[in-house]
Amino acid sequence: LRLELRDRQRQAEEEARRLQLRIRERDREVESERMRLLSQMEQEREAARSEQERLRERLRQYALCQRSLLKEVSSLLLEREALKKEVLGAVSHARQGGPRHGERRASTGSARSSGDAGDQA
């Protein structure tokens, strides 16, 4: 009976050692998988950061372009308004029987020329 108890005790101890080894082995596997997943997650985070930075830069470039285009549109609108006024003024002047637009320029140009000549004297 004692011999049988010793055998059972020895078997139980061996089984306990085998189970402890399996537990340690599983712990190592779990830790290894955890480390792999952490590394993968860090790589994905870094890729996401890079992509986010790239998109921020692209957005910044678009904003700069948009501001530039808005300034250009504003400038063109002002120029259009000035040209409208000039055309309306010329049409109005022509209806009133005044000198034509080209003639006015010629007289203005000659006045400038004579003024320049006076500056040189």
Side-chain angles (χ1 to χ4, degrees):
L1 189 62
R2 281 187 182 177
L3 194 55
E4 195 175 309
L5 282 173
R6 280 186 201 161
D7 281 346
R8 282 187 187 174
Q9 187 177 5
R10 201 175 315 127
Q11 287 174 354
E13 288 171 358
E14 285 176 21
E15 183 65 19
R17 278 192 289 270
R18 274 196 306 268
L19 290 173
Q20 286 175 345
L21 283 173
R22 280 185 67 192
I23 288 171
R24 281 194 291 266
E25 210 174 282
R26 290 285 181 161
D27 284 348
R28 282 192 295 268
E29 289 172 2
V30 166
E31 182 62 19
S32 175
E33 182 66 9
R34 187 180 77 79
M35 294 302 287
R36 186 188 69 77
L37 289 173
L38 282 174
S39 175
Q40 180 182 350
M41 187 174 67
E42 187 57 37
Q43 289 173 352
E44 289 172 1
R45 276 185 189 156
E46 186 56 38
R49 274 189 224 116
S50 294
E51 179 67 5
Q52 190 175 31
E53 184 59 36
R54 186 185 70 78
L55 290 173
R56 277 189 187 132
E57 178 60 24
R58 197 166 171 192
L59 184 61
R60 189 182 71 78
Q61 291 296 326
Y62 282 140
L64 287 172
C65 183
Q66 184 180 29
R67 278 193 294 267
S68 174
L69 288 173
L70 286 172
K71 286 178 184 177
E72 190 172 339
V73 165
S74 177
S75 173
L76 288 171
L77 287 172
L78 289 172
E79 184 178 342
R80 185 180 100 186
E81 288 303 313
L83 288 172
K84 273 184 181 179
K85 286 180 183 178
E86 186 178 325
V87 166
L88 289 175
V91 167
S92 173
H93 197 69
R95 284 185 183 159
Q96 293 173 0
R100 288 188 306 214
H101 188 63
E103 291 173 355
R104 187 178 69 192
R105 265 198 195 149
S107 64
T108 306
S110 62
R112 271 191 232 148
S113 297
S114 63
D116 288 345
D119 287 344
Q120 290 174 358

